[in-house]
Amino acid sequence: MSIPRAESFHATAGKSKPRLGITMGDPAGIGPEVVLKAVAEEEVLAVCAPIIIGNAEVLAHNARTLDLQCGYDIVRQGERLPSNSSAPIIFHLDNLHGFVEPGIESGAAGKAAGSYIEAAVHLCAAGEIDAIATAPINKRALFLGGYSFPGHTEFLASLTGTEEYAMGFVAENLRVVLLSTHVPLAEAIRLVRKERIEKTIRLADRELHRWGIERRRIAVAALNPHGAEGGLFGIEEASEMLPAIEACRLRDGINVRGPFSADTIYLRASRGESDAVVACYHDQAMIPVKCLSFGEAVNVTLGLPFIRTSVDHGTAFDIAGKGLAEHSSMVAAIKLAAELSLKSGEASQAVEAA
C-alpha cells in the first residue's frame, strides 16, 4: 500500500459534524466491543458521523454475542462512502478468514489491525473522512502480522511521512506531551537532549494553536528528583533542559517555563497554571494521566496532517468477548477527535484568510 503525501490531507473546515473514521483495533481484543458500544451512544452521534473501519463479520459476531446494536450499512473497500449519511457506516475489509478467537494473540489479527489503520489513513487522504479515532492494538500481534512499529504513533507517522511527531494525552484539565514513548528507561534518559526538547516544545506549541488555544502556556517537567536541586541529583536540567527552554522562549517566542519538579507540576497544570506539560518519559506522563482520569483519558498523536485520537487502554485480552469492557475512553476519544477536527479546520481557514 503506497504512502499518501502529507499535502494530500485536508483539515475539516465549515462542517458542523465531521466524518470520523473509527478503527476497530485488534479483532481478538475488546476493540470491536468498545467501538460498537461507543457509536450507539447519542452523545457520539450528536458530534460526528461515525465510519467504523474493520471487519463487518467480526463486528456482527460481537453484536450478536454481546447483544449490541449493529445492522449498519456496509461499504466495501474500493467503494466510495456515501456523501450525505450521518448514520454509522461499516467500512468493511475482507481480510480475515475463519473464526477469530477472542483473547488469543495472533499474526492474522495483528495484520488485520494494521490494515484498518492503513485504510483509515487513505480515507483521510482521499478526503472521505476528516479525522481518526483508534481502538487498541496488540504490539506483539502487530509484529507477528508483519509490521515493525511499537505502536500507533510511529505507524501513523510512517504512513504519512511525518518526521516531527509526539504522543500526547488529554485527561480532564491536563494535557501532556511525551518526549519519548515506548523505550527502555535508560534509553529515555539518554533522549533528554537539548535538540529533542526544543523540537517537542515547538511541536506542542504548534499543535495547541491548531487545537484553538491562542495564548499557550507550556511547562516542562524535570527529569531528576526536585528538579535536580541545583545539580545535587543530576545534571540534565542544567545541561540540556534549561538551554532548550530558553532557546524556545528567546528565539521562538514560546511561553514555556521549567523544568519544574515532576512531583508537583502535573497537579499545578491540572489546576490551570499551564495548558500542557512536556514529560521526559512514558511513565512520568502516564502515572498522573491515569490517576486523574483512568478509563476516560485520550491519547492524541501530535504532528500528523490530520487529527488522531485513541483510547487510554490496551486490548484487554483477558475480558475480550465477555461483554465486560468499559467504553468511556472510546467515547471520549471520538468526541475529542470531532472537536479538534473542527478547531483544526477553523485554524486552517484563519491561516488561509491571512
Side-chain angles (χ1 to χ4, degrees):
M1 185 174 285
S2 60
I3 298 174
R5 294 178 61 83
E7 56 266 30
S8 65
F9 295 88
H10 302 281
T12 304
K15 293 184 180 181
S16 59
K17 236 176 158 182
R19 306 193 83 188
L20 198 63
I22 307 167
T23 61
M24 77 173 203
D26 191 303
I30 62 171
E33 178 183 342
V34 298
V35 168
L36 287 171
K37 286 179 175 178
V39 299
E41 296 285 357
E42 286 298 325
E43 60 184 308
V44 165
L45 297 175
V47 298
C48 73
I51 312 295
I52 304 173
I53 302 166
N55 184 281
E57 294 169 358
V58 171
L59 290 162
H61 174 76
N62 272 265
R64 287 193 301 270
T65 304
L66 306 176
D67 195 26
L68 302 174
Q69 181 178 336
C70 195
Y72 303 127
D73 289 341
I74 296 174
V75 174
R76 296 184 179 275
Q77 191 173 22
E79 300 175 351
R80 290 191 64 85
L81 294 167
S83 59
N84 57 355
S85 175
S86 62
I89 292 170
I90 296 174
F91 186 80
H92 172 65
L93 277 70
D94 189 17
N95 53 7
L96 285 168
H97 306 286
F99 178 66
V100 176
E101 183 72 31
I104 303 298
E105 185 182 272
S106 73
K111 185 176 182 179
S115 71
Y116 306 147
I117 299 166
E118 291 174 327
V121 170
H122 281 265
L123 286 172
C124 263
E128 295 204 58
I129 59 176
D130 301 304
I132 299 171
T134 59
I137 56 175
N138 179 276
K139 295 174 179 61
R140 177 163 169 76
L142 194 70
F143 176 77
L144 292 173
Y147 296 98
S148 57
F149 301 103
H152 274 106
T153 302
E154 296 81 6
F155 194 174
L156 290 164
S158 175
L159 286 173
T160 57
T162 302
E163 295 183 0
E164 291 191 7
Y165 58 91
M167 180 186 289
F169 281 86
V170 176
E172 295 187 10
N173 298 325
L174 179 65
R175 302 180 189 90
V176 184
V177 180
L178 281 67
L179 191 62
S180 62
T181 54
H182 302 111
V183 298
L185 183 56
E187 175 65 14
I189 293 171
R190 286 193 292 270
L191 290 173
V192 180
R193 294 293 179 264
K194 179 177 180 292
E195 182 180 3
R196 188 181 186 90
I197 298 165
E198 286 185 41
K199 287 182 178 179
T200 304
I201 292 170
R202 292 191 199 105
L203 176 60
D205 185 65
R206 290 197 302 270
E207 290 294 287
L208 290 173
H209 179 261
R210 183 182 177 192
W211 297 356
I213 301 174
E214 292 298 327
R215 302 180 66 182
R216 301 167 295 283
R217 302 161 300 159
I218 299 171
V220 179
L223 172 66
N224 294 296
H226 304 291
E229 291 279 16
L232 184 63
F233 302 137
I235 64 169
E236 289 85 357
E237 282 75 12
S239 64
E240 306 291 340
M241 305 187 82
L242 273 170
I245 292 166
E246 287 304 305
C248 289
R249 284 177 62 87
L250 299 176
R251 186 176 62 228
D252 302 305
I254 297 173
N255 184 1
V256 55
R257 297 179 299 148
F260 297 110
S261 180
D263 61 1
T264 57
I265 188 55
Y266 298 101
L267 177 62
R268 292 168 56 186
S270 71
R271 290 177 174 174
E273 288 189 28
S274 60
D275 297 302
V277 177
V278 173
C280 288
Y281 55 91
H282 183 274
D283 284 12
Q284 188 191 64
M286 295 313 301
I287 291 170
V289 165
K290 293 197 174 185
C291 283
L292 180 66
S293 195
F294 184 73
E296 295 184 356
V298 178
N299 180 345
V300 186
T301 304
L302 282 69
L304 297 176
F306 50 80
I307 296 296
R308 176 263 172 173
T309 65
S310 190
V311 294
D312 69 346
H313 57 74
T315 49
F317 281 160
D318 58 323
I319 61 169
K322 298 178 181 178
L324 302 175
E326 172 55 54
H327 62 292
S328 55
S329 184
M330 192 78 248
V331 169
I334 294 170
K335 290 173 66 177
L336 183 62
E339 176 189 345
L340 295 182
S341 177
L342 291 174
K343 289 181 177 178
S344 178
E346 291 168 359
S348 296
Q349 279 189 326
V351 170
E352 290 173 4

